[in-house]
Amino acid sequence: NAGVTQTPKFQVLKTGQSMTLQCAQDMNHNSMYWYRQDPGMGLRLIYYSASEGTTDKGEVPNGYNVSRLNKREFSLRLESAAPSQTSVYFCASSDANGDTQYFGPGTRLTVL
Amino acid sequence: GQSLEQPSEVTAVEGAIVQINCTYQTSGFYGLSWYQQHDGGAPTFLSYNALDGLEETGRFSSFLSRSDSYGYLLLQELQMKDSASYFCAVRPRGWGKLQFGAGTQVVVTP
């Protein structure tokens, strides 16, 4: 089992460019999450999906969109990147209650 | 609202015991979780306390007291590989998604 995988591992964008971060899990989990992590701060939830076909906003959704493509895949899109979106992005999945989450290796994004 | 407070950094020598406290303000939550994250790595689940009391998993133990709005992670027989950041997290009732503290960096010295 690969667990949770994310692509790409690193990305540099210019302000205004768009990109999609990909995430997939093979643990048959219903719930999936996108977090961002900034220095000195914990993980902040951007969006989550409780099941295939549903998505909902987290604490910091502005500037992002998501798609739950199927049970395995949950993508995060930046339509017009801004320097404030420079961060490390983690995807995670969990069973129904969400207390035990499994994280992907992260995407390190720099927006110039 | 919900906020969790943890010390920013703790330093200890190999073989020592470290306690990382997590205090919170909440109107109710399901349980207290702890995650470990090594530099450049992903967070990994360590422990979960649904009820008050102590949970032990090998060298690591976690404690919760809802009446005191307080929990802690205890790391025993510290090893160099325990150098990492440790995050507490709660899942508030009504919100239902994990909220993380800012993390405690544990530095283990020889």
Side-chain angles (χ1 to χ4, degrees), chain A residues 33 35 37 40-43 45 48 50 57-59 90 96-101 103-105 108, chain B residues 30-31 33 35 37 40-45 48 87 90-91 95-103:
Chain A
Y33 314 82
Y35 294 92
Q37 185 175 36
M41 302 183 73
L43 294 143
L45 184 65
Y48 67 95
K57 295 178 181 179
E59 302 168 74
F90 288 101
N97 68 28
D99 291 300
T100 306
Q101 298 190 9
F103 287 80
R108 283 144 187 83
Chain B
Y30 292 102
S33 303
Y35 286 77
Q37 184 180 30
T44 56
F45 173 78
Y48 175 66
F87 297 88
V90 296
R91 195 162 61 93
W95 168 238
K97 305 306 162 190
L98 278 184
Q99 288 192 332
F100 288 84

